[in-house]
Amino acid sequence: MGRLAGKRAVIIGAATQDNMAQAVARLFAREGASVLVAGRKQAPLEALAQEIGGHAAVCDLTSRASVFALADAARDAMGGVDIAVNASGWGLLKPLLDVTEEELDAIVALQFTGVHHFLQAFVGAMLKNEPSGGSIIQLSSATTRAVIGNHAAYIGTKAGSEALIRCVANDFGAAGIRANIVSPAFTESPMTKDAFATPGLVDAFLPRYPLGRLNTAADVANACLWLASDEAFVTGENLQPNGGLTLRGNPQEADIATAVGAAMAKLQAS
């Protein structure tokens, strides 16, 4: 029997092929959960739902009405919600002085206000369980503890979402609701495809990981699996499945420039 047998899970942010949310959805389904995947694009969600034998729903996290409609759809499809994972995000990599008002509004809407919508909707759904309870998991980032340059708006909104999770953990623990954070670091995914293709960039990051490799989407999914299971007597915590990066910190702009420059010079020489 799987570790999530009988559980009903909603995973938001799963509309991009082979991203972290899709890795979580596939693992949860293999471990016996009924899974509803959500995001902004209907076709890839339906394809994933068919693959894993689950359900799909379109949801815009920046719209409170859309998120509450998702919670209703999950209860209609599965009878309730035991696990809710928010893996949505936007990797805005831009210097503080260059971020526009429109960009700031957009990232706040997704990575802070949207998280508030998510928590309101799914805490409410879990309070309706008999008995009440469940596991809420918010994907954040190692950068809130290991700062990296030109990510101020990204880091700020992720840090805000972490504060919301800790408040939920404190306020709703008596109802059996656990709320935790999972913080990957520089992970190969559709969002980081261009970065991983940059010669020398991975070389700048790799020495920062005591365990000797960058974390993968599978590492993140396994962390979510543990937090979603009944094995995790944990709430209000920030799990760091990133190979110890926070011990050494992210490389900074000069480190990255040196590594990329060396790789480019080697390519030119060859």
Side-chain angles (χ1 to χ4, degrees):
M1 182 177 291
R3 293 165 70 185
L4 300 182
K7 302 290 188 184
R8 301 157 297 184
V10 174
I11 301 169
I12 302 174
T16 300
Q17 182 65 35
D18 295 329
N19 68 1
M20 282 187 273
Q22 291 205 351
V24 173
R26 291 184 175 106
L27 180 58
F28 280 17
R30 288 198 300 271
E31 290 293 336
S34 297
V35 178
L36 187 154
V37 290
R40 293 183 175 181
K41 301 173 185 176
Q42 186 170 0
L45 292 169
E46 289 181 347
L48 178 60
Q50 184 174 11
E51 174 193 333
I52 65 175
H55 312 274
V58 173
C59 177
D60 178 358
L61 198 67
T62 67
S63 164
R64 187 177 187 274
S66 182
V67 180
F68 273 76
L70 174 63
D72 291 339
R75 287 195 298 271
D76 291 343
M78 301 184 294
V81 179
D82 304 298
I83 304 161
V85 181
N86 179 27
S88 61
W90 175 28
L92 178 61
L93 170 56
K94 203 167 187 182
L96 174 74
L97 298 181
D98 294 340
V99 173
T100 67
E101 184 175 2
E102 291 76 17
E103 288 169 332
L104 184 60
D105 287 345
I107 200 165
V108 169
L110 180 63
Q111 294 192 168
F112 183 79
T113 308
V115 175
H116 198 276
H117 298 332
F118 163 70
L119 294 172
Q120 284 186 317
F122 286 96
V123 167
M126 290 176 183
L127 289 173
K128 295 177 181 177
N129 291 338
E130 295 182 5
S132 64
S135 175
I136 291 175
I137 302 168
Q138 172 66 39
L139 262 63
S140 185
S141 168
T143 58
T144 65
R145 296 191 179 182
V147 174
I148 191 168
N150 299 329
H151 279 71
Y154 176 83
I155 293 172
T157 49
K158 284 293 188 182
S161 74
E162 292 178 4
L164 292 175
I165 287 289
R166 295 183 71 244
C167 290
V168 167
N170 180 66
D171 293 347
F172 294 97
I177 296 174
R178 294 177 286 116
N180 292 286
I181 303 148
V182 173
S183 291
F186 187 37
T187 310
E188 189 167 8
S189 70
M191 190 169 72
T192 60
K193 181 180 178 181
D194 291 343
F196 268 79
T198 302
L201 191 61
V202 170
D203 297 336
F205 282 83
L206 194 55
R208 305 288 180 146
Y209 292 75
L211 290 183
R213 66 168 176 83
L214 275 60
N215 69 250
T216 66
D219 297 323
V220 177
N222 284 322
C224 290
L225 172 62
W226 181 67
L227 289 173
S229 75
D230 293 333
E231 302 161 15
F233 186 61
V234 173
T235 196
E237 294 300 327
N238 190 333
L239 201 60
Q240 301 275 332
N242 51 47
L245 170 75
T246 56
L247 295 171
R248 297 178 181 174
N250 272 304
Q252 297 306 305
E253 190 172 1
D255 305 314
I256 294 170
T258 298
V260 171
M264 294 298 292
K266 185 175 181 180
L267 284 172
Q268 290 172 356
S270 62

